[in-house]
């Protein structure tokens, strides 16, 4: 069944199942929650139920319509194979498909909304059941795209449904929020995330840190558990600690100057450093309280460095300041 493989979201799935069983499916939903917790899986399952031709209100998952709603075409765009299920997403369609000269690298443009949504939403579904538009990362809608969306959201054709997926619902226009029904998706529990890592064949030794940093997101955990990323993160942690433990400032200055990465990646590496320090503190708290206290102080220093980056501090300056503070704590 389409909803059976969605893990850890009983409340959200229950809301959708009740709507389908009672025939009271809203025309516009807003699925809110962290990335990688099942929002898109639920949107696809809902679209399967709406286009299913087997007479099952929850979607049978076996008929041709259900299979095509969940299937994807090869290449770009990787669109659903069912003509009545369409995605709207940043940089999803080649520029020429939506009448642009350049790809949409920063937002969902008004051109995409016009060519993918407005050009089709006023017509009956191709196969008679329903038409579904799934907006991935709806917070990426430009102001023009969101405004173009509004009238369709207000007065949709019967059988037309919109599902907006967002991890930052606060960034949506209030007019969009007021015209969509929210369905909340929670972070996944640790056992569920570990089970997903196990099912994907991720070695057990990579689970702990990935789960700790992923904050309940399966997609983040899988990315964090990637072999190359794990090695890169481990090397970063060792380099920072080695620079902090060096006899003079030379290694610290050299390391700080070598930091040349985007702030998001650096913050992830610093969170990995904090996870290592937290484990060190927990392990030492009973046998060596002084060492545990030092680890806790270093943890606080790393947290301040992350806060500096979030306030747009220079990565190299933030790292230089951090290593200097770590050296003082060690001393």
């Amino acid at each position: 069944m389409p909803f059976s493989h969605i893990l850890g979201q009983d409340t959200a799935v229950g809301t959708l199942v009740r709507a389908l069983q009672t025939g009271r499916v809203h025309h516009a939903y807003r699925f809110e929650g962290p990335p990688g917790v099942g929002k898109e899986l639920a949107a696809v399952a809902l679209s399967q139920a709406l286009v299913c031709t087997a007479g099952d209100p929850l979607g049978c998952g076996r008929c041709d319509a259900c299979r095509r709603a969940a299937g994807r075409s090869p290449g770009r765009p990787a669109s659903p194979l069912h003509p009545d299920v369409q995605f709207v997403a940043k940089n999803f369609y080649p520029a020429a498909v939506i009448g642009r000269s350049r790809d949409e690298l920063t937002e969902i443009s008004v051109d995409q909304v016009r060519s993918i949504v407005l050009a089709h939403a006023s017509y009956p579904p191709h196969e008679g059941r329903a038409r579904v538009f799934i907006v991935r990362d709806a917070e990426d809608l430009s102001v023009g795209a969101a405004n173009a969306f509004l009238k369709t959201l207000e007065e949709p054709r019967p059988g037309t449904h919109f599902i907006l997926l967002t991890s930052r619902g606060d960034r949506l226009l209030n007019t969009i929020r007021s015209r969509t029904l929210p369905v909340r998706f929670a972070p996944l529990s640790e056992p569920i995330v570990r089970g997903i890592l196990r099912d994907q064949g991720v070695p057990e030794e990579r689970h702990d840190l990935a789960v700790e940093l992923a904050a309940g997101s399966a997609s983040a955990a899988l990315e964090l558990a990637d072999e190359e990323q794990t090695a890169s993160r481990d090397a970063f942690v060792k380099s920072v600690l080695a620079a902090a433990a060096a006899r003079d400032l030379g290694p610290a200055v050299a390391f700080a100057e070598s930091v040349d990465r985007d702030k998001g990646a650096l913050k992830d590496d610093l969170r990995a450093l904090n996870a290592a320090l937290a484990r060190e503190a927990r392990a030492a708290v009973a046998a060596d309280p002084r060492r545990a206290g030092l680890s806790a102080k270093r943890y606080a220093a790393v947290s301040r460095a992350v806060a500096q980056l979030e306030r747009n501090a220079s990565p190299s300056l933030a790292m230089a300041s951090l290593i200097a503070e770590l050296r003082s704590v060690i001393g």
Side-chain angles (χ1 to χ4, degrees):
M1 300 293 288
F3 290 98
S4 62
H5 62 295
I6 300 171
L7 305 175
Q9 301 295 350
D10 293 350
T11 300
V13 169
T15 297
L16 300 175
V17 166
R18 284 191 298 273
L20 289 163
Q21 289 174 333
T22 59
R24 296 179 179 177
V25 180
H26 201 269
H27 73 276
Y29 285 104
R30 186 175 73 253
F31 289 4
E32 291 192 350
V37 297
K39 299 189 301 294
E40 188 166 317
L41 287 175
V44 172
L46 179 56
S47 71
Q48 287 179 284
L50 290 170
V51 302
C52 179
T53 56
D56 190 324
L58 302 184
C60 69
R62 298 181 301 275
C63 70
D64 182 62
C66 280
R67 291 199 303 272
R68 286 185 290 132
R72 297 290 176 268
S73 59
R76 183 183 178 216
S79 299
L81 298 175
H82 197 294
D84 293 323
V85 181
Q86 291 178 283
F87 272 97
V88 174
K90 179 177 67 180
N91 205 29
F92 186 73
Y93 297 94
V97 172
I98 54 176
R100 288 174 61 86
S101 58
R102 293 181 297 178
D103 285 341
E104 307 161 295
L105 300 180
T106 60
E107 62 186 12
I108 300 171
S109 70
V110 66
D111 301 299
Q112 182 177 164
V113 171
R114 286 172 178 159
S115 59
I116 302 301
V117 180
L118 303 186
H120 300 96
S122 59
Y123 294 100
H126 287 279
E127 298 185 8
R129 282 271 300 165
R131 187 187 291 276
V132 186
F133 296 94
I134 300 172
V135 185
R136 183 186 289 165
D137 296 323
E139 67 270 17
D140 288 337
L141 284 163
S142 69
V143 173
N147 285 327
F149 222 72
L150 280 176
K151 187 169 180 58
T152 305
L153 281 177
E154 282 182 319
E155 302 173 3
R157 191 186 185 284
T160 298
H161 299 270
F162 301 92
I163 309 170
L164 279 63
L165 315 179
T166 180
S167 58
R168 293 298 306 271
D170 58 311
R171 292 187 177 179
L172 294 173
L173 293 181
N174 287 335
T175 45
I176 293 286
R177 292 176 59 83
S178 67
R179 288 162 176 79
T180 52
L181 186 68
V183 179
R184 313 291 183 187
F185 286 73
L188 299 175
S189 68
E190 180 178 320
I192 287 176
V193 176
R194 287 185 183 277
I196 291 170
L197 292 175
R198 196 174 300 112
D199 291 344
Q200 294 297 314
V202 176
E204 293 283 342
E205 62 269 18
R206 297 188 208 151
H207 289 194
D208 287 348
L209 184 58
V211 170
E212 190 168 349
L213 297 179
S217 167
S219 60
L222 287 166
E223 184 177 346
L224 288 161
D226 174 77
E227 183 176 6
E228 186 175 329
Q229 285 213 23
T230 299
S232 174
R233 240 182 0 256
D234 290 346
F236 175 87
V237 170
K238 290 177 182 176
S239 296
V240 172
L241 296 179
R247 292 185 176 183
D248 55 55
L249 285 172
V253 173
F255 181 78
E257 291 178 347
S258 73
V259 174
D260 183 19
R261 62 183 74 196
D262 68 83
K263 291 180 181 179
L266 181 55
K267 285 189 287 187
D268 286 343
D269 283 344
L270 288 172
R271 291 188 182 105
L273 173 58
N274 253 356
L277 293 171
R279 288 197 302 274
E280 183 180 282
R282 286 195 296 268
V285 70
D288 191 347
R290 181 182 176 278
R291 182 182 173 193
L294 289 175
S295 295
K297 290 180 180 179
R298 295 161 78 191
Y299 182 100
V302 176
S303 297
R304 285 191 287 273
V306 173
Q308 288 174 2
L309 290 171
E310 290 174 343
R311 293 194 297 268
N312 291 322
S314 159
S316 59
L317 289 177
M319 288 304 301
S321 174
L322 169 63
I323 295 174
E325 190 168 358
L326 293 178
R327 287 174 61 82
S328 70
V329 171
I330 291 173

